[in-house]
Amino acid sequence: MSVTFRRSGAAAIVEMDNPPVNAIGLAMRQGLQAVLDRLPGETGVQRVILTGAGRAFAAGGDAREFDGPAVAPHLNDIVNQIEACDIPWIAAINGVALGGGCELALACRYRIARPGVQIGLPEVGLGVVPGSGGTQRLPRLIGMAAALEMIPTGKPVSAERAEQLGLIDGIADDPVEVALHLDEGSLELAVPVRDLPRPEHRPDQLAQARALAASKMAQQIAPQRAIDLIEGTATRPMVEGLAEERDTFLTLRKGDQARALRHIFFAERAAKAPDWIKADPQPFDHIAVVGGGTMGAGIAYALLNAGLRVTLLEMDAGGVQRARDNVEKIIGQSLKRGLIDQSGAEDRRANFASSADYADAASCGLAIEAAFESIEVKREVFAKLEAALAPEAVLATNTSYLDLDEIARSVAEPSRVLGLHFFAPAHIMKLLEIVKGAQSSERALATGFALGKRLRKIPVLAGVCDGFIGNRILARYREAADTVFMDASTPWDIDEAMVNFGYAMGPYEAQDLSGLDIAHANRRRQDATRDPARRYIPIADRMVELGKLGRKTGAGWYRYPGGNGKVEDPIVADLALEEAHFAKITRTEYSEAEIRDRLLLAMINEAADILHEGIAASARDIDLVTVFGYGFPRWRGGLMHFADTWGVPEILARLRKLEQEDPVVWKPSPLLIDCAEKGRTLAQV
């Protein structure tokens, strides 16, 4: 049963029960409708208490139903019936109340929540607006300003904040018990939200909300439509607003953005250890991190945030002090931003130690190496870890490009070695590539996935190759951008094309942020193995020779005068002209669409090769990597989901055309050819 009904004297207790989060699917809607149909025949019922089983009140509609037609009974009709019911309903919010769960609560006459529970309307995150009255009732209940803070951003509020806003009427450890004994006077005074006055029309607040949505959720339709609906509550009868809201919801949920966002939503929740990993993870309450630079300190802080004990290892006393300072800097930043309080800061400091003596990490069940990207350095580190830690301890490297199998050969038992590729800043970025070496054991991999879960990161299994999944696609993206730059364009035109596509920043501004010297060092590592038939663009090398390393030097692909915003640099544009002249290339001009398509086709083709080679297990995993690690617009569903919207035959035709100008770089992936011949999508691989 998705909904249970029981009597407690003059009260009827209705419990929603659809584990784990009481998603409001068809069966639950049918159950709620059955309760509404039953109530007129129930003698002596003076109040109905609506609550949830387990840890949730109700966490919204079942998004799995969104791809099909809307099936009656509809939640908006149920919500309207609850609000219009002669018998007052009380929401006993025992756990999270999101989306439709929040809308059910808004329909009740009175709302009581357990301390700390989250209440909100996050539908814009799935590319839709609330569809059961949320945009119409919330502004009437808490005012337009507060509703604009919640609905277009999708951010929930705690019970404590909800009480301050007037969203709930009280907080109690046992909301059902309080609802059972709530005095009749309080219920009689409670006014249905539909009868509350319209909120004041505030053009200034609306303009601010639109600007924020345009900045934080650029090109997404749902946030702006939600603002339209909220604005309408100030001037329209509620019945008209409810009708428009429902129509908007049904229209948006059929759109490309909603489908893409649902794809990523389900992909994120499905990210876990593959079924073939049967081993138990190695316990890791105490973890060693080797290297206290920016990455190592970020990893250490991510571990501290998860309540783990961390020993950060460095080479000498100077390195130890720098490591401490780097971790303390992150603690200070978190305090300043209100992410932790003073007590939380002290807890993290108490769990942290730094040392130059590997023996201090002897009790660690897991070590994560984040030292300098040199195979010699990493071999030395792994030899020290092997000598200091127990034989069952798992040893991981955070290398971005180096050969994991070569690193694993540094120890007597390579099966204990795996890759844990964090993304900077490691305490913020959600993606974690878990790299399986040729001999990585199931226990080592299980440990990596268990750590990802503990850190609340999105784990993706990757095989061994240069750059794994994400950096390999990134390298091809940058190569394609450099070719377009040299042959036809400028960094700022290329960046603009990709920002207009949906990236937060283009490839050149992103390089300025990370530093051009990092990519330069990687190119030098690849010099000996680079395919001589593959075209090489030397402009970035010229930039490093000129000392233009990015923001940290005040100039890279852009100039940053006074540390302020970026400005175009004509010297950079001239470098392309010079190199094209040296290479005897006649420059042309690409439109924004041509720039965008070349870069996207390059990434898609590379990703198809990655899938073909088994480096990635599925197209879905590549989508997770590109969205959560590399800024691919979430509302496009990830690189491979987007590719399927183009269609494999169209992609292959475009690659065949580009192959005529460069048969090495644009050679179509065998996977794309196979999919085209068999009529398969990339998602079906």
Side-chain angles (χ1 to χ4, degrees):
M1 287 288 289
S2 293
V3 176
T4 59
F5 180 97
R6 61 186 172 89
R7 290 289 296 270
S8 179
I13 300 176
V14 178
E15 186 176 72
M16 297 175 284
D17 188 3
N18 181 23
V21 293
N22 297 333
I24 308 170
L26 176 60
M28 185 178 287
R29 298 197 305 274
Q30 291 172 333
L32 290 170
Q33 185 62 59
V35 168
L36 287 160
D37 294 342
R38 173 178 179 171
L39 280 176
E42 283 286 325
T43 305
V45 175
Q46 297 178 4
R47 67 185 65 186
V48 180
I49 299 167
L50 181 63
T51 193
R55 61 186 176 90
F57 179 74
D62 189 341
R64 291 172 297 185
E65 297 181 357
F66 285 12
D67 286 320
V71 179
H74 306 296
L75 183 60
N76 62 311
D77 293 332
I78 291 167
V79 166
N80 292 340
Q81 291 175 67
I82 289 173
E83 188 175 52
C85 190
D86 292 334
I87 303 169
W89 286 56
I90 304 169
I93 305 171
N94 59 300
V96 61
L98 300 175
C102 178
E103 288 172 310
L104 283 168
L106 288 172
C108 294
R109 198 75 57 87
Y110 205 90
R111 291 163 290 278
I112 307 161
R114 183 174 287 170
V117 302
Q118 295 288 300
I119 306 171
L121 295 162
E123 284 88 347
V124 294
L126 287 177
V128 296
V129 297
S132 299
T135 66
Q136 302 304 295
R137 290 187 175 90
L138 193 65
R140 286 174 166 83
L141 184 62
I142 67 174
M144 187 170 285
L148 288 168
E149 289 178 10
M150 290 180 63
I151 298 175
T153 65
K155 292 180 180 177
V157 296
S158 67
E160 292 73 17
R161 176 61 177 155
E163 186 178 36
Q164 293 172 358
L165 293 172
L167 174 52
I168 61 173
D169 300 289
I171 297 176
D173 290 330
D174 190 341
V176 172
E177 187 66 19
V178 171
L180 282 168
H181 297 96
L182 186 68
D183 63 277
E184 293 293 336
S186 295
L187 270 182
E188 290 173 1
L189 290 173
V191 179
V193 174
R194 65 179 180 178
D195 294 333
L196 294 173
R198 297 172 185 169
E200 179 186 0
H201 186 260
R202 291 294 303 272
D204 56 331
Q205 295 171 355
L206 290 158
Q208 185 177 4
R210 291 192 189 283
L212 180 65
S215 171
K216 299 294 185 182
M217 306 175 83
Q219 301 189 52
Q220 296 191 45
I221 301 168
Q224 298 291 350
R225 291 296 292 119
I227 295 170
D228 292 341
L229 292 163
I230 294 168
E231 181 176 18
T233 61
T235 57
R236 282 188 311 215
M238 187 164 174
V239 65
E240 292 181 13
L242 289 173
E244 184 180 355
E245 179 198 71
R246 184 66 179 174
D247 182 65
T248 302
F249 167 78
L250 292 174
T251 300
L252 289 178
R253 86 172 193 170
K254 293 183 293 186
D256 290 342
Q257 288 193 6
R259 280 194 291 267
L261 288 164
R262 286 198 297 275
H263 167 72
I264 283 294
F265 174 84
F266 287 118
E268 182 178 355
R269 278 147 187 79
K272 59 182 178 62
D275 293 339
W276 55 263
I277 296 179
K278 306 295 185 184
D280 292 327
Q282 168 71 17
F284 52 75
D285 287 341
H286 184 195
I287 297 178
V289 177
V290 183
T294 301
M295 178 57 80
I299 293 171
Y301 190 74
L303 301 172
L304 294 170
N305 278 344
L308 296 163
R309 210 156 48 94
V310 177
T311 296
L312 202 159
L313 299 170
E314 263 291 354
M315 296 293 291
D316 51 33
V320 167
Q321 186 58 52
R322 284 191 297 275
R324 285 184 192 143
D325 292 343
N326 286 338
V327 172
E328 186 59 40
K329 181 180 179 181
I330 302 175
I331 291 174
Q333 290 169 343
S334 298
L335 275 169
K336 185 177 180 179
R337 295 175 60 193
L339 300 176
I340 59 173
D341 57 18
Q342 195 60 49
S343 174
E346 292 306 320
D347 287 343
R348 286 159 177 78
R349 292 179 181 122
N351 279 331
F352 176 73
S354 56
S355 173
D357 187 350
Y358 279 62
D360 290 340
S363 65
C364 292
L366 170 66
I368 303 171
E369 171 274 315
F372 182 69
E373 281 285 88
S374 158
I375 194 68
E376 290 76 18
V377 170
K378 294 184 187 295
R379 283 173 178 156
E380 181 182 352
V381 166
F382 271 74
K384 290 181 177 180
L385 289 171
E386 182 181 34
L389 274 61
E392 64 271 14
V394 171
L395 308 180
T397 174
N398 180 60
T399 185
S400 300
Y401 291 99
L402 298 180
D403 187 338
L404 173 65
D405 293 328
E406 188 173 348
I407 295 170
R409 285 193 285 270
S410 304
V411 299
E413 185 48 70
S415 66
R416 66 195 292 202
V417 177
L418 80 158
L420 291 177
H421 183 210
F422 289 80
F423 289 74
H427 56 292
I428 295 174
M429 296 291 283
K430 293 182 68 175
L431 181 66
L432 177 63
E433 282 184 322
I434 297 175
V435 187
K436 179 186 183 301
Q439 298 187 60
S440 298
S441 68
E442 287 188 21
R443 184 176 65 87
L445 295 170
T447 304
F449 278 99
L451 179 67
K453 182 177 181 180
R454 180 73 177 266
L455 299 183
R456 297 184 177 180
K457 292 191 179 292
I458 296 168
V460 174
L461 187 67
V464 175
C465 69
D466 200 312
F468 313 126
I469 299 172
N471 277 346
R472 180 168 157 182
I473 294 171
L474 176 65
R476 180 69 186 101
Y477 176 52
R478 288 178 172 176
E479 180 185 43
D482 285 350
T483 305
V484 168
F485 173 26
M486 182 162 166
D487 291 355
S489 191
T490 64
W492 27 98
D493 286 338
I494 295 167
D495 280 356
E496 183 179 18
M498 300 317 291
V499 168
N500 289 342
F501 176 75
Y503 277 88
M505 61 179 69
Y508 291 101
E509 185 179 2
Q511 284 185 63
D512 275 357
L513 194 61
S514 61
L516 274 68
D517 50 333
I518 296 174
H520 180 265
N522 189 51
R523 289 194 299 276
R524 298 292 74 79
R525 180 185 60 81
Q526 296 172 323
D527 282 343
T529 57
R530 184 175 291 109
D531 182 355
R534 196 175 188 101
R535 190 174 169 197
Y536 184 77
I537 308 297
I539 302 175
D541 296 339
R542 298 269 311 268
M543 295 282 288
V544 173
E545 290 169 6
L546 293 170
K548 297 168 74 66
L549 305 183
R551 282 182 177 269
K552 58 189 174 186
T553 59
W557 299 109
Y558 298 86
R559 288 188 297 110
Y560 301 90
N564 297 320
K566 67 182 188 295
V567 297
E568 298 173 7
D569 189 345
I571 295 175
V572 172
D574 288 344
L575 287 176
L577 297 176
E578 288 181 14
E579 291 299 332
H581 174 72
F582 296 151
K584 296 181 172 55
I585 291 170
T586 301
R587 295 188 94 230
T588 183
E589 187 172 332
Y590 293 147
S591 68
E592 180 176 305
E594 288 175 310
I595 294 170
R596 178 195 65 220
D597 290 356
R598 281 174 175 263
L599 270 59
L600 290 169
L601 287 165
M603 288 192 287
I604 291 166
N605 199 40
E606 191 70 28
D609 273 343
I610 288 170
L611 195 53
H612 176 68
E613 296 165 17
I615 301 301
S618 68
R620 182 189 66 194
D621 284 351
I622 293 172
D623 288 336
L624 289 172
V625 169
T626 53
V627 168
F628 290 102
Y630 295 88
F632 195 91
R634 182 187 178 101
W635 53 271
R636 291 193 185 273
L639 179 64
M640 301 303 257
H641 178 88
F642 172 76
D644 275 335
T645 67
W646 255 357
V648 171
E650 175 68 15
I651 290 168
L652 187 57
R654 293 186 185 211
L655 287 171
R656 291 293 193 200
K657 186 175 180 180
L658 292 170
E659 189 181 18
Q660 295 174 17
E661 69 179 53
D662 190 332
V664 175
V665 168
W666 293 110
K667 180 181 179 182
S669 169
L671 182 70
L672 292 172
I673 297 170
D674 184 69
C675 285
E677 290 175 349
K678 296 178 179 177
R680 292 199 301 172
T681 66
L682 292 166
Q684 292 171 326
V685 176

